[in-house]
């Protein structure tokens, strides 16, 4: 599979059996927000570079300077209230501590606040996850994933980078087989002697 974007406006993706399709993702669906904890700060830079090369516009809390100067209410308006923006939750051991433990640093408090807003949206959506994407970074495991995200697909960075790009493109990895317009059912009557033995 080759998930590399062919240009800023479209992507060519190979599915199983080498079927090539072109994906046109609307411009407003290219915004991706990344929330993370400080223990993986050095890993976020190459991750952001990867997403940018795939044609997305990633932004990370605290990471890039426009976000650093943006107050939390503007962040909330620009990312959390925008249903077309997908949010990647970079899972690490410290992320779990930041959202559940006693937080002492500013980044941890920021991470906890963003997590709280995401969880509230999840509950308001009837506990259905439409746009939060958990990604395990180095040193993280399934036990570090927030409980409310355990029923969703969890990706590993960098192992699942191709699948992650497909998710961001809102595409399925496997194409379901076509369902015929008419279904044929064969109904066989049961003989009276065999029905009695049931």
């Amino acid at each position: 599979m080759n998930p590399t974007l062919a240009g800023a406006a479209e992507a060519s993706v190979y599915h199983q059996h080498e079927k090539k399709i072109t994906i046109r993702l609307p411009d407003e669906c290219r915004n991706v927000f990344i929330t993370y904890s400080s223990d993986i700060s050095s890993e976020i830079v190459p991750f952001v570079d990867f997403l940018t090369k795939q044609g997305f516009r990633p932004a990370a809390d605290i990471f890039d300077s426009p976000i650093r100067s943006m107050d939390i209410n503007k962040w909330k308006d620009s990312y959390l209230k925008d249903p077309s923006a997908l949010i990647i939750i970079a899972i690490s051991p410290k992320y779990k501590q930041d959202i559940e433990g006693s937080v002492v640093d500013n980044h941890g408090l920021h991470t906890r606040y963003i997590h709280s807003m995401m969880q509230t949206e999840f509950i308001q959506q009837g506990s259905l996850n439409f746009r939060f994407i958990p990604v395990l970074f180095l040193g993280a495991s399934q036990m570090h994933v927030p409980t409310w995200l355990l029923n969703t697909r969890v990706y590993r960075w960098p192992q699942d980078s191709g699948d992650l790009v497909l998710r961001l493109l809102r595409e399925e990895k496997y194409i379901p087989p076509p369902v015929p317009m008419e279904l044929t059912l064969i109904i066989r009557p049961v003989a009276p002697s065999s029905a009695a033995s049931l």
Side-chain angles (χ1 to χ4, degrees), residues 139-157:
S141 67
Q142 196 75 19
M143 68 178 238
H144 297 109
V145 178
T147 308
W148 59 277
L149 283 171
L150 288 175
N151 288 333
T152 193
R153 166 77 196 269
V154 177
Y155 299 87
R156 291 188 170 279
W157 171 255

Side-chain angles (χ1 to χ4, degrees), residues 31-35 48 51 57-61 63-64 67 75 79:
N31 294 327
V32 178
F33 182 77
I34 305 161
T35 180
V48 166
L51 294 176
R57 286 188 301 271
D61 60 0
F63 169 64
D64 55 16
I67 295 296
W75 175 87
Y79 290 100

Side-chain angles (χ1 to χ4, degrees), residues 3-175:
T4 305
L5 290 182
E10 61 185 45
S12 294
V13 179
Y14 290 95
H15 287 283
Q16 191 176 11
H17 306 297
E18 297 299 319
K19 183 175 180 179
K20 183 178 179 180
I21 62 170
T22 299
I23 301 164
R24 297 185 192 282
L25 190 65
D27 191 58
E28 64 272 7
C29 294
R30 293 187 176 276
N31 294 327
V32 178
F33 182 77
I34 305 161
T35 180
Y36 67 99
S37 287
S38 59
D39 59 337
I40 57 167
S41 296
S42 63
E43 294 181 58
I44 296 301
V45 176
F47 184 63
V48 166
D49 287 344
F50 169 78
L51 294 176
T52 302
K53 287 175 184 169
Q54 304 310 308
F56 298 101
R57 286 188 301 271
D61 60 0
I62 308 298
F63 169 64
D64 55 16
S65 55
I67 295 296
R68 202 174 286 145
S69 62
M70 184 185 294
D71 71 29
I72 198 69
N73 291 326
K74 286 184 181 177
W75 175 87
K76 186 176 170 184
D77 289 341
S78 63
Y79 290 100
L80 200 63
K81 288 189 175 180
D82 177 6
S84 66
L86 294 179
I87 299 175
I88 293 175
I89 304 161
I91 307 292
S92 67
K94 189 168 186 320
Y95 186 85
K96 178 110 172 154
Q97 291 172 2
D98 285 348
I99 63 170
E100 293 179 358
S102 57
V103 181
V104 292
D105 64 342
N106 284 340
H107 194 164
L109 291 171
H110 190 74
T111 300
R112 178 180 283 181
Y113 183 72
I114 291 170
H115 174 266
S116 173
M117 293 190 320
M118 291 185 302
Q119 189 175 23
T120 299
E121 179 183 316
F122 174 78
I123 292 166
Q124 289 171 346
Q125 294 286 338
S127 297
L128 297 173
N129 182 12
F130 296 108
R131 64 190 187 118
F132 303 120
I133 305 170
V135 178
L136 296 176
F137 278 74
L138 191 62
S141 67
Q142 196 75 19
M143 68 178 238
H144 297 109
V145 178
T147 308
W148 59 277
L149 283 171
L150 288 175
N151 288 333
T152 193
R153 166 77 196 269
V154 177
Y155 299 87
R156 291 188 170 279
W157 171 255
Q159 297 92 322
D160 297 332
S161 58
D163 291 349
L164 178 60
V165 169
L166 286 174
R167 172 65 183 97
L168 294 172
L169 289 169
R170 289 114 168 131
E171 279 293 314
E172 294 294 327
K173 181 175 182 178
Y174 301 104
I175 300 171

Side-chain angles (χ1 to χ4, degrees), residues 184-188:
T184 304
L185 299 176
I186 299 173
I187 301 172
R188 294 190 179 113

